[in-house]
Amino acid sequence: MLNLDLIDNLYAGLTKEQQQELIGLLFKKSKQTMSYFRRTKDISLSKLEVLADFFHMPLDYFRVGSSFRANNVSGNNNTVGNVSVNTNLMIENESLRKQLEALQDVVKAKDDTLAAKDALIHSLQERLNPSVK
């Protein structure tokens, strides 16, 4: 069962821009709002994955009675639910580590491309002017 209070409080803690971004990710071009989850009391796996990815949390985190070890956190004078600070930080760190590795791969590929370009230029210059080395 979906922890609707947790979703409402996480959403309420976002800036207006972040709220609009999340709504756009969840509902694309439809006119739905976050109250959709309260009305339907249901969520598709794809929407749950969008929420989990947006908040950098595992899918099970959004279930009522989630088994994640945590501390209670309050928001808007209501208990939000259990938030595992260590788990969230580990997930975010893992995500950032993967992004860093991807960027390092891009930089290496660009360096390799530049080295190949320099070698080609040097080779062409040697062909045009054999006396230049």
Side-chain angles (χ1 to χ4, degrees):
M1 188 168 168
L2 188 63
N3 188 340
L4 297 170
D5 291 333
L6 171 66
I7 292 172
D8 285 344
N9 283 301
L10 285 172
Y11 180 76
L14 298 173
T15 64
K16 290 290 183 196
E17 292 82 22
Q18 290 171 322
Q19 288 177 350
Q20 289 174 352
E21 178 185 357
L22 180 58
I23 293 294
L25 291 170
L26 286 169
F27 302 113
K28 308 289 184 234
K29 295 182 180 180
S30 79
K31 301 287 184 190
Q32 294 293 341
T33 63
M34 292 301 281
S35 62
Y36 166 84
F37 298 125
R38 272 236 189 259
R39 279 193 326 271
T40 63
K41 296 189 182 348
D42 193 15
I43 185 170
S44 67
L45 181 58
S46 62
K47 288 192 183 348
L48 184 58
E49 286 174 338
V50 169
L51 277 172
D53 288 344
F54 188 85
F55 290 108
H56 306 288
M57 297 175 184
L59 292 173
D60 284 347
Y61 180 78
F62 294 95
R63 290 186 342 186
V64 171
S66 172
S67 62
F68 291 99
R69 282 186 22 215
N71 301 317
N72 282 333
V73 175
S74 295
N76 299 338
N77 297 324
N78 298 319
T79 299
V80 176
N82 289 331
V83 177
S84 176
V85 175
N86 291 336
T87 302
N88 292 342
L89 289 176
M90 287 179 6
I91 291 168
E92 189 168 348
N93 285 343
E94 181 66 18
S95 172
L96 291 173
R97 185 187 61 74
K98 287 180 181 177
Q99 289 177 11
L100 178 60
E101 287 174 0
L103 289 173
Q104 288 171 335
D105 290 344
V106 168
V107 169
K108 184 182 180 314
K110 287 186 177 187
D111 287 344
D112 292 345
T113 302
L114 288 173
K117 178 197 65 101
D118 290 342
L120 178 62
I121 289 171
H122 182 70
S123 172
L124 291 173
Q125 284 176 338
E126 283 181 350
R127 278 188 173 174
L128 293 174
N129 299 322
S131 60
V132 177
K133 296 236 176 186

